């Protein structure tokens, strides 16, 4: 074999690999041969002789770009195959065209209701098959591109939202002799603690973005109280405690946004205590929202281990012991156990976001 022949083979294989992949599912070999014969010059072909194999091959990487699916097959018919694939996150996006001798209107409607994009009747017309496949592959590609652009834009929106939220949280910290790194650290501590406690990714992401607003209500506390270098008297302490309710008012009630709902809950409840001695409402135990219980630990840990104009930073071991000692009184004891196991990861965050 000369060099030119080898080059042609390489180019042919490369072209085949770049072509869309079509899965043909039919229990009749002659039907497969007809469809494969029509499409093989322009597409990669994968075939299955029954529904079970069709489902297996549809899930095999790389997943098909389109599926031509017979309806009347033994054991598992095409309707069940379609329903199974559309219920699977890995395969639900694959366009399915039913190819069947069942020509009743109700059969076509049923197929479309299950998620198929088209319906071709047997015996098939090769030009019709070619055109339908071409059209639905193009539509699928357009939909994927649209999804990609939407996901990119959604990511930008989330990043922008997160930055705005962090800056809102920092506004309160500047007023309170805190640093901007405090809200970043404690929000990441909160996210890690929520994940380690078994909460879903969506909850953890919401908490990461909501936690920076925990003290936003301090914007409404007079400076002579907020920045007082000495201990607050009883009247001043009553005013200081109002920052939780001020924060809740700033963040609003009745919002449809999951983020704003969680942020309001955090602002209102992060000073509640497990034994009911906290404020503003004296909530007890699991009556305190889980996000408030998590942020309470994260906020105190960062406050203890950070240096401030009015105090030196505690040693990490001392801060951990203090939180352990407060399990069951100030803090949720189950969360404290999770927190203690998580300390090495929390210290990595602290080192990454130093004041």
């Amino acid at each position: 074999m000369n060099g030119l022949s080898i080059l042609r083979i390489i180019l042919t294989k490369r072209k085949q690999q770049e072509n869309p992949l079509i899965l043909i599912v039919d229990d009749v070999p002659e039907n497969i041969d007809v469809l494969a014969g029509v499409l093989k010059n322009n597409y990669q072909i994968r075939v299955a002789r029954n529904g079970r194999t069709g489902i297996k091959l549809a899930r095999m990487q790389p997943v098909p770009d389109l599926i031509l699916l017979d309806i009347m097959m033994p054991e598992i018919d095409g309707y069940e195959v379609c329903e199974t694939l559309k219920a699977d996150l890995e395969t639900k996006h694959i366009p399915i065209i039913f190819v069947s001798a069942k020509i009743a209107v109700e059969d076509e409607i049923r197929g479309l209701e299950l998620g198929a994009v088209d319906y071709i009747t047997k015996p098939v017309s090769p030009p019709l098959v070619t055109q339908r496949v071409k059209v639905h592959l193009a539509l699928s590609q357009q939909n994927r591109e649209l999804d990609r652009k939407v996901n990119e834009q959604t990511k930008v929106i989330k990043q922008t939202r997160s930055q705005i939220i962090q800056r809102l949280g920092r506004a309160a910290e500047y007023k309170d002799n805190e640093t901007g790194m405090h809200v970043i650290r404690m929000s990441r501590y909160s996210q890690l603690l929520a994940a380690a406690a078994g909460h879903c990714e969506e909850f953890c992401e919401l908490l990461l973005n909501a936690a920076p607003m925990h003290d936003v209500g301090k914007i409404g506390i007079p400076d002579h109280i907020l920045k007082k270098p000495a201990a607050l008297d009883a009247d001043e302490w009553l005013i200081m405690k109002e920052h939780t309710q001020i924060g809740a008012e700033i963040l609003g009630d009745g919002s449809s946004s999951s983020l704003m709902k969680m942020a309001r809950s955090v602002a209102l409840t992060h000073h509640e205590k497990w034994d009911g001695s906290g404020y503003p409402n004296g909530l007890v135990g699991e009556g305190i929202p889980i996000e408030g219980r998590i942020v309470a630990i994260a906020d105190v840990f960062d406050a203890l281990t950070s240096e401030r104009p009015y105090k030196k930073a505690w040693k990490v071991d001392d801060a951990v012991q203090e939180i352990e000692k407060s399990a069951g009184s100030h803090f949720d004891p189950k969360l404290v156990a999770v927190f203690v196991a998580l300390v090495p990861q929390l210290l990595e965050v602290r080192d990454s976001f130093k004041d």
Side-chain angles (χ1 to χ4, degrees):
M1 184 178 295
N2 59 37
L4 183 60
S5 298
I6 294 174
L7 179 60
R8 284 173 178 169
I9 292 172
I10 292 173
L11 291 175
T12 299
K13 287 184 177 180
R14 182 176 296 172
K15 182 178 179 182
Q16 289 174 344
Q17 291 172 351
E18 292 174 351
N19 287 340
L21 173 62
I22 309 295
L23 171 62
I24 301 171
V25 186
D26 199 307
D27 64 320
V28 179
E30 292 77 10
N31 293 336
I32 292 176
D33 290 342
V34 170
L35 291 171
V38 172
L39 301 169
K40 65 181 181 181
N41 290 334
N42 296 308
Y43 305 102
Q44 300 177 74
I45 303 298
R46 188 183 289 174
V47 301
R49 292 280 300 275
N50 58 66
R52 292 189 188 280
T53 304
I55 293 171
K56 181 178 179 180
L57 294 182
R59 290 169 170 165
M60 183 183 297
Q61 296 295 328
V63 297
D65 296 287
L66 183 142
I67 299 173
L68 295 173
L69 179 60
D70 184 28
I71 293 178
M72 294 182 292
M73 295 183 292
E75 296 186 31
I76 299 178
D77 66 15
Y79 293 133
E80 187 173 348
V81 172
C82 181
E83 189 172 18
T84 299
L85 295 179
K86 291 301 176 183
D88 188 331
L89 290 176
E90 295 294 324
T91 56
K92 65 181 298 184
H93 68 282
I94 304 173
I96 295 175
I97 299 176
F98 278 120
V99 183
S100 178
K102 300 187 76 171
I103 58 175
V105 172
E106 55 267 28
D107 296 324
E108 186 171 353
I109 291 174
R110 183 182 178 190
L112 296 174
E113 287 178 342
L114 288 173
V117 296
D118 210 340
Y119 196 101
I120 299 174
T121 56
K122 296 178 181 178
V124 300
S125 164
L128 178 63
V129 170
T130 301
Q131 189 61 28
R132 295 284 180 86
V133 167
K134 182 179 179 180
V135 167
H136 286 294
L137 282 173
L139 288 173
S140 179
Q141 177 61 32
Q142 290 176 7
N143 288 336
R144 286 198 297 272
E145 179 63 16
L146 180 60
D147 286 342
R148 183 187 67 79
K149 290 181 178 179
V150 169
N151 288 335
E152 284 183 355
Q153 190 61 36
T154 300
K155 184 177 180 180
V156 170
I157 292 171
K158 286 183 176 179
Q159 289 175 340
T160 302
R161 182 186 68 180
S162 178
Q163 291 171 359
I164 291 171
I165 289 165
Q166 286 185 3
R167 280 158 176 73
L168 180 60
R170 289 182 67 180
E173 303 302 337
Y174 277 121
K175 201 173 189 302
D176 190 29
N177 290 322
E178 298 281 8
T179 72
M181 289 296 112
H182 168 67
V183 294
I184 295 175
R185 286 192 301 266
M186 60 80 58
S187 64
R188 291 178 180 268
Y189 295 162
S190 298
Q191 181 189 32
L192 288 171
L193 185 51
H199 293 279
C200 69
E201 183 177 352
E202 181 181 1
F203 179 92
C204 298
E205 183 74 14
L206 279 175
L207 189 55
L208 171 68
N209 288 308
M213 292 185 280
H214 67 294
D215 273 342
V216 70
K218 288 183 178 178
I219 291 172
I221 302 300
D223 284 354
H224 74 275
I225 293 176
L226 199 61
K227 297 183 178 183
K228 185 177 179 180
L232 301 180
D233 63 31
D235 291 337
E236 290 169 335
W237 183 239
L238 287 176
I239 294 173
M240 173 63 86
K241 291 197 291 186
E242 291 177 1
H243 82 273
T244 55
Q245 293 166 309
I246 294 172
E249 290 172 7
I250 290 172
L251 296 168
D253 194 7
S255 171
S256 60
S257 165
S258 297
L259 174 60
M260 296 308 292
K261 287 179 180 177
M262 182 176 286
R264 182 182 185 278
S265 176
V266 165
L268 186 63
T269 66
H270 72 286
H271 283 295
E272 299 287 359
K273 294 184 179 181
W274 185 258
D275 63 4
S277 64
Y279 63 90
N281 295 313
L283 301 179
V284 178
E286 293 184 357
I288 306 168
I290 184 62
E291 56 269 21
R293 285 180 267 152
I294 290 172
V295 169
I297 295 175
D299 187 33
V300 169
F301 177 68
D302 191 68
L304 292 176
T305 55
S306 299
E307 184 173 349
R308 293 292 178 264
Y310 51 85
K311 77 170 190 69
K312 291 184 177 181
W314 287 33
K315 293 180 180 179
V316 171
D317 288 346
D318 292 341
V320 172
Q321 289 177 11
E322 179 66 22
I323 290 173
E324 285 185 296
K325 187 172 69 174
S326 300
S329 56
H330 188 164
F331 304 116
D332 178 340
K334 291 182 180 179
L335 284 177
V336 169
V338 175
F339 159 80
V340 172
L342 201 62
V343 168
Q345 291 173 251
L346 302 182
L347 295 182
E348 290 179 10
V349 171
R350 189 187 67 161
D351 292 340
S352 298
F353 298 97
K354 293 181 179 179
D355 291 332

